[in-house]
C-alpha cells in the first residue's frame, strides 16, 4: 500500500492545532503516511501579506494560532480541489455551515476510496423526520432538505460525496491541544480494524491520547447533545442551586443522551459514553463551556437569550439552544416528549415558553426514576 | 405483614437529614411502615439540656441540623439496644469508625430477619488480602483483622451481625438534602424485588429521588474510590492544568473504578456507574469536595498533607489519601499496579514518594489507551 496522503480542510484555531499533530505523526510514520500534509487555507490578508504565504514561510498561523510552530511538512494550499485531489484522507475542520459548500466543490474531484474524518464540533442537529432508515434514499434526502431533519455533519459529508466518514470528538479544546496539554479524544469509525489503527496512529501523540470505537454516530451525537445538557446546567447555576442538584441535572441529561442515541441510531455501545466524547466532554462543557455561561446569565439577568449571547460571546453563538430546538421538534413529531423532559425543558426555557424555575419540576418524575 | 419498624442509628448532620425523610415517608405510608421512627442519639449536653430531650420536645436537632424541623413521629432514644430491639430496618448513619462498636453492642439483641441500610459515606477501604471468596469463613475474618484487608462498611455490619445489608449513596450532601434541594441517591440491594420497592418508598421524596440497583458493592465502592480520583483532580488543579486535562484525569479515574470493582467484586453492572452513586457523585467530589481542595492546596503550597488538612478541614480528615494507601497496598499485593496507574500515583504523590508533576507521565500510557 502506498503511503496515505492527508489533507486538513480548514486552518482556523482547531484546524491549525490538529495540523500540528498530523504533521508530526505523518512525518514520524512515513511508511504509513505521506509526510507532506496539505492544509487548505481560505486565503485572506494578514498584516499586508497573504496568510498562506505567511504559513508556508514562517510555519505558523499568526492569525488563528499565534506562537505555535507548525511542522514544516504541513503545506498551506489555497485551492480546495488542488489541496484534496490526490488525498486519501480528508480531515474536515471547518465551521459546520461551510461543510455542504466545501463538499459540493469537491464532488467529482476526489480519489476513489478516500476517507473523511470530521472534527467539526459546533454541530447542530437538523431535524430528520422520516424515521430511521439508513442509508437514506433520494426521497429521504429531499425530505431532509425540505422539512429540516436531523442530519449529522458526517451524514452531510457522506450524502454529498458518497465516501466513508469517521469522526473525532472529545474533551479537547483547541487552545489546550495547541499547548500540548494532556488530553484525550475519541475516534468513531465503523470500518475496518486496519483503518481504525491507522487513524489512531495519525492522531495520537504523547499528549493527545486516542481511543477508537466503532459506533461513530454515538461519538458525534454526544458532541451535539452535550450542549443541551450544558444549558440545563447553566440554568441550575443561574438559579443558585447547589452542587448536588447540578450533578443530578447533568446525570439525567446524560441518560437522555444515551436514550436518544439508542432510539434514533440503534446499536450504540454503552461503553462509548465512558469515552472522552461522552462523560469527559460533557463534564467540561457543563462546568466551563459557553452554553453553560450563556444560560446562567440568561437566568440571572432576565435579558433575552440573543442579547446575552451577543454580550458574552462576541459574535460566536451558543449551539445548545439551537440544538434543543431541533431536538424538540423531532421529539414532538414522534410524540416522545415525555421520555426526554430535560431536552424539552431546555428548549422551552430558552424560547421563553417556560420559566427557568420550572426546570426542576420537569425532572422530578423523570422516567429514569421509575423502578427498574 | 405487620408494618416495618425503622430505626435511624445516628443523629449527626446526615442522620438528622435522613430522619426528616424517613419520618415523613413512614408516616405517609403507614400501611407499610410503623410511623414511629426511632432515632438513636448518643446523649450529650446542649445548651445545658440533654440533646435527646431537646429533640423530643422541640422536634429539631439544634446541634447538628439547626433550623430544620424533624417530623414529630421521629423519637430520640438514647439507649442503643432499646432503640433497635423491635426494629425491622436499621439505618446506619454513624461515622465509620463507630460501626464495629455499635454492631458489637447490638449482637444478640435484634429481631430475626432485620435489614440494615448503610448510609455511611466516609468509607475507607481496609485491605483484604485473602482474595475474592464470599462469604468469608472464620479464618478469612481472622486474617482481615490481623493483616488489614479491604472491607466495606456493609461487610463489617454483615460480618458482625449476620444480617442483610443494603447501601444508599450518591451525590447528596446533608446540607443540600436538609434544604430540600433536588437531588438523587442510589440504593444498592441484592435481595428481593419487594424489599427493593419498600426501600425506595421509604427513602424517596419529591426532592430526593431514588434509583435502586442490585449490585450493592458497586454502589458502595464508588463512594469510597471516588475520593482517590478527587485527589488526582485536585493535583491537576494545583498544577494549573486546564479543563480538558482535568476531564481526562477524572475519566481515567472512573475507568479505574470500574476495573477495580469488576476485578474484586465481579458481576457489577456497567449501568450502575451511570447512577447518582457513580458519575454524579464523582463529578461533585472532583469539582467541589474536600479531597480535591486538600490536594490542590498540598500541591500549590508544598506543605505536608497533614498540615494542609488541619488548616483547611479543621479536624475533619480527607478520606482520599487513606483510601489510596489501602488500595495501593492491595494492588501491590496482587501485582496489579500497572493496571491502575492513577490510583497508584495518587498514593505515591500523597505519601511524598512522587512529585505531583509526575502525575501526567503516569497516565500517558494508561491501559485505557490501548487499542480495543
Amino acid at each position: 500500500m502506498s503511503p496515505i496522503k492527508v489533507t486538513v480542510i480548514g486552518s482556523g484555531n482547531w484546524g491549525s492545532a490538529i495540523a500540528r499533530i498530523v504533521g508530526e505523526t505523518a512525518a514520524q510514520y512515513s511508511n504509513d503516511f505521506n509526510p507532506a500534509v496539505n492544509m487548505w487555507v481560505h486565503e485572506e490578508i494578514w498584516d499586508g501579506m497573504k496568510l498562506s504565504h505567511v504559513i508556508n514561510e514562517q510555519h505558523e498561523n499568526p492569525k488563528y494560532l499565534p506562537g505555535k510552530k507548525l511542522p514544516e511538512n504541513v503545506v498551506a494550499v489555497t485551492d480546495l480541489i488542488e489541496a484534496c485531489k490526490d488525498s486519501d484522507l480528508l480531515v474536515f475542520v471547518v465551521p459546520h455551515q461551510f461543510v455542504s459548500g466545501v463538499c459540493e466543490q469537491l464532488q467529482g474531484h476526489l480519489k476513489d476510496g478516500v476517507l473523511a474524518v470530521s472534527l467539526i464540533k459546533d454541530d447542530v442537529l437538523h431535524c430528520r423526520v422520516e424515521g430511521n432508515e439508513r442509508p437514506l434514499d433520494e426521497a429521504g434526502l429531499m425530505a431532509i432538505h425540505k422539512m429540516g431533519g436531523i442530519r449529522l455533519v458526517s451524514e452531510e459529508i457522506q450524502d454529498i460525496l458518497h465516501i466513508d466518514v469517521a469522526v473525532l470528538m472529545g474533551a479537547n479544546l483547541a487552545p489546550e491541544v495547541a499547548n500540548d496539554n494532556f488530553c484525550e479524544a475519541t475516534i468513531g469509525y465503523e470500518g475496518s480494524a486496519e483503518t481504525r489503527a491507522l487513524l489512531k496512529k495519525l492522531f495520537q501523540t504523547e499528549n493527545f491520547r486516542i481511543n477508537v470505537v466503532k459506533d461513530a454516530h454515538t461519538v458525534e451525537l454526544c458532541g451535539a447533545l452535550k450542549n443541551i445538557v450544558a444549558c440545563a446546567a447553566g440554568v441550575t447555576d443561574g438559579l443558585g442551586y447547589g452542587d448536588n442538584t447540578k450533578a443530578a441535572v447533568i446525570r439525567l441529561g446524560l441518560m437522555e443522551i444515551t436514550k436518544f442515541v439508542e432510539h434514533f441510531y440503534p446499536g450504540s455501545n454503552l461503553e462509548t459514553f465512558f469515552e472522552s466524547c461522552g462523560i469527559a466532554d460533557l463534564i467540561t462543557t457543563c462546568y466551563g463551556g459557553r452554553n453553560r455561561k450563556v444560560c446562567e446569565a440568561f437566568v440571572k439577568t432576565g435579558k433575552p437569550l440573543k442579547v446575552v449571547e451577543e454580550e458574552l460571546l462576541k459574535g460566536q453563538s451558543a449551539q445548545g439552544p439551537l440544538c434543543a430546538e431541533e431536538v424538540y421538534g423531532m421529539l414532538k413529531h414522534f410524540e416522545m416528549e415525555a421520555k426526554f423532559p430535560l431536552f424539552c425543558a431546555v428548549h422551552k426555557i430558552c424560547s421563553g415558553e417556560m420559566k427557568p424555575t420550572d426546570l426542576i419540576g420537569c425532572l422530578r418524575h423523570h422516567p429514569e426514576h421509575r423502578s427498574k
Side-chain angles (χ1 to χ4, degrees), chain A:
Chain A
M1 214 177 78
S2 62
I4 292 164
K5 171 79 179 171
V6 179
T7 296
V8 177
I9 303 179
S11 53
N13 191 223
W14 187 212
S16 303
I18 215 71
R20 291 182 77 228
I21 288 178
V22 301
E24 182 190 319
T25 54
Q28 183 183 353
Y29 303 114
S30 55
N31 285 338
D32 296 305
F33 301 102
N34 182 333
V37 169
N38 287 346
M39 176 165 77
W40 174 59
V41 175
H42 186 262
E43 190 67 286
E44 51 187 305
I45 299 303
W46 185 85
D47 204 14
M49 291 170 290
K50 286 182 174 176
L51 183 60
S52 62
H53 286 198
V54 177
I55 292 172
N56 285 334
E57 275 159 31
Q58 298 177 9
H59 306 293
E60 188 183 319
N61 184 340
K63 177 147 190 195
Y64 295 106
L65 196 61
K68 299 289 169 191
K69 283 286 162 203
L70 291 161
E72 300 198 1
N73 52 313
V74 172
V75 180
V77 180
T78 56
D79 183 291
L80 177 65
I81 293 166
E82 187 62 31
C84 299
K85 70 178 169 39
D86 298 323
S87 278
D88 307 287
L89 204 151
L90 305 174
V91 180
F92 277 80
V93 55
V94 292
H96 71 99
Q97 62 270 29
F98 298 133
V99 170
S100 60
V102 163
C103 288
E104 279 156 17
Q105 282 188 65
L106 289 174
Q107 269 179 323
H109 298 287
L110 299 176
K111 278 173 74 175
D112 282 348
V114 61
L115 172 68
V117 186
S118 169
L119 273 68
I120 296 166
K121 289 187 171 189
D122 56 348
D123 201 355
V124 177
L125 302 174
H126 301 281
C127 189
R128 169 170 59 78
V129 292
E130 314 73 46
N132 236 341
E133 320 76 38
R134 313 230 71 70
L136 290 166
D137 58 14
E138 205 60 34
L141 276 175
M142 283 301 294
I144 287 177
H145 291 298
K146 265 173 73 178
M147 309 170 71
I150 206 172
R151 194 156 66 139
L152 301 167
V153 167
S154 67
E155 294 175 323
E156 199 167 6
I157 298 170
Q158 208 158 25
D159 290 341
I160 302 175
L161 291 172
H162 305 286
I163 62 177
D164 246 16
V165 187
V167 297
L168 182 151
M169 303 277 148
N172 42 52
L173 291 172
E176 293 198 38
V177 174
N179 277 330
D180 297 320
N181 289 358
F182 178 76
C183 57
E184 298 185 306
T186 314
I187 290 176
Y189 180 60
E190 286 163 29
S192 73
E194 194 196 350
T195 303
R196 286 207 299 279
L198 274 170
L199 288 172
K200 181 166 184 152
K201 221 169 186 176
L202 181 64
F203 286 101
Q204 180 162 283
T205 68
E206 281 289 284
N207 287 311
F208 192 60
R209 309 304 293 172
I210 304 283
N211 274 350
V212 189
V213 301
K214 287 186 189 174
D215 46 341
H217 288 135
T218 306
V219 175
E220 199 171 4
L221 278 160
C222 282
L225 297 170
K226 67 162 198 271
N227 291 325
I228 307 182
V229 182
C231 289
V235 171
T236 68
D237 286 341
L239 293 169
Y241 292 136
D243 289 340
N244 294 314
T245 303
K246 184 169 171 177
V249 167
I250 295 172
R251 190 191 83 79
L252 291 170
L254 177 60
M255 298 323 290
E256 293 194 17
I257 294 177
T258 67
K259 295 290 176 297
F260 187 93
V261 172
E262 187 51 38
H263 185 85
F264 291 103
Y265 290 83
S268 65
N269 183 350
L270 200 60
E271 292 185 11
T272 300
F273 297 99
F274 286 111
E275 295 293 344
S276 181
C277 66
I279 48 155
D281 202 9
L282 181 67
I283 293 173
T284 46
T285 310
C286 288
Y287 279 85
R290 58 189 182 199
N291 287 287
R292 189 212 67 78
K293 194 170 153 187
V294 164
C295 287
E296 181 187 32
F298 168 64
V299 171
K300 277 190 170 163
T301 64
K303 294 180 189 173
L305 195 67
K306 277 280 153 240
V307 175
V308 174
E309 228 176 306
E310 264 162 42
E311 287 178 3
L312 289 178
L313 303 185
K314 293 155 193 153
Q316 288 191 298
S317 65
Q319 306 298 327
L322 297 172
C323 190
E325 186 180 353
E326 301 288 354
V327 164
Y328 178 72
M330 194 162 163
L331 294 172
K332 204 174 154 116
H333 179 84
F334 289 112
E335 297 178 355
M336 289 171 66
E337 292 143 283
K339 289 187 176 167
F340 296 89
L342 183 140
F343 286 176
C344 293
V346 167
H347 166 64
K348 288 180 181 168
I349 290 169
C350 289
S351 63
E353 291 167 56
M354 185 192 272
K355 284 180 300 187
T357 45
D358 288 342
L359 173 67
I360 298 304
C362 297
L363 303 183
R364 234 173 230 128
H365 299 279
H366 198 284
E368 267 305 303
H369 298 139
R370 298 226 179 95
S371 293
K372 291 174 185 176

